[in-house]
Amino acid sequence: MKTLEEQMSFYQRYHRNPKNKLTHFLGVPLIMFSLFVLLGLARIEIGGISISAASVLAVAVLGYYFRLDAALALAMTIFTGVLLIAAHRVAAEGTAAALFVFAACFAGGWILQLIGHAFEGKRPALVDNFFQVFIAPIFLMAEVFFALGYKRDIAERVEQLAARSEAGG
């Protein structure tokens, strides 16, 4: 399994422009929320308890995040929990309403992402590595940590790896 720094350095090479990063801070959560709304419509019975497919996906991805970095994963757990609660409320309004919200948020999120990549002048990272879809949220959370002065060692290592890779080494 690649380290957090390795995953983030790949992602960072596609996200250097501040305008691109800003569009991602809006677009990525919109896409996450939209998928949670859609998957919130699907329920799984486990031991007599109804669990949404959105919750199953969230737990799986958060489990991966905890393997990468516990502090970032804890922050992502709180953020993801808020999105899940909101998405479950939308899904509870019925299929038609949920599908409308899903479509609007999903399309809007991707439009924002594509606008950002127009500023960047590079295609999205997921074109070269689809797994980057799962790295985007924790990358953005790490950016928040970096901006607040936390995890400086990770920020420096990510930058070193990204610079080395961009230089061809």
Side-chain angles (χ1 to χ4, degrees):
M1 181 174 97
K2 290 186 178 181
T3 66
L4 175 66
E5 293 89 349
E6 290 168 330
Q7 294 283 1
M8 288 182 59
S9 70
F10 182 89
Y11 190 86
Q12 184 169 335
R13 292 191 307 262
Y14 295 79
H15 303 90
R16 296 263 190 206
N17 183 290
K19 291 178 184 175
N20 187 23
K21 286 183 181 182
L22 178 62
T23 64
H24 282 60
F25 272 100
L26 300 171
V28 169
L30 274 174
I31 294 166
M32 287 175 65
F33 174 71
S34 73
L35 293 174
F36 288 159
V37 168
L38 181 65
L39 294 173
L41 292 171
R43 310 294 296 181
I44 301 165
E45 293 290 327
I46 300 176
I49 299 172
S50 179
I51 300 173
S52 76
S55 296
V56 172
L57 174 63
V59 167
V61 173
L62 289 168
Y64 176 67
Y65 291 168
F66 273 99
R67 292 198 61 196
L68 292 174
D69 185 278
L72 291 173
L74 184 58
M76 283 303 304
T77 300
I78 295 166
F79 182 73
T80 300
V82 170
L83 289 181
L84 272 174
I85 290 167
H88 284 145
R89 288 185 178 163
V90 171
E93 293 296 319
T95 302
L99 290 177
F100 175 80
V101 170
F102 159 74
C105 291
F106 190 79
W110 281 110
I111 288 168
L112 283 169
Q113 303 256 70
L114 294 174
I115 289 169
H117 281 283
F119 288 123
E120 186 79 39
K122 290 184 180 178
R123 61 189 182 187
L126 67 90
V127 172
D128 292 327
N129 179 347
F130 183 76
F131 192 72
Q132 293 300 303
V133 165
F134 301 107
I135 297 302
I138 197 168
F139 178 86
L140 295 173
M141 186 59 72
E143 287 286 325
V144 170
F145 272 58
F146 301 160
L148 295 173
Y150 299 107
K151 301 280 185 184
R152 296 277 178 173
D153 56 327
I154 292 175
E156 291 171 9
R157 181 76 177 130
V158 167
E159 184 57 42
Q160 290 169 354
L161 289 169
R164 186 180 316 141
S165 181
E166 286 172 338

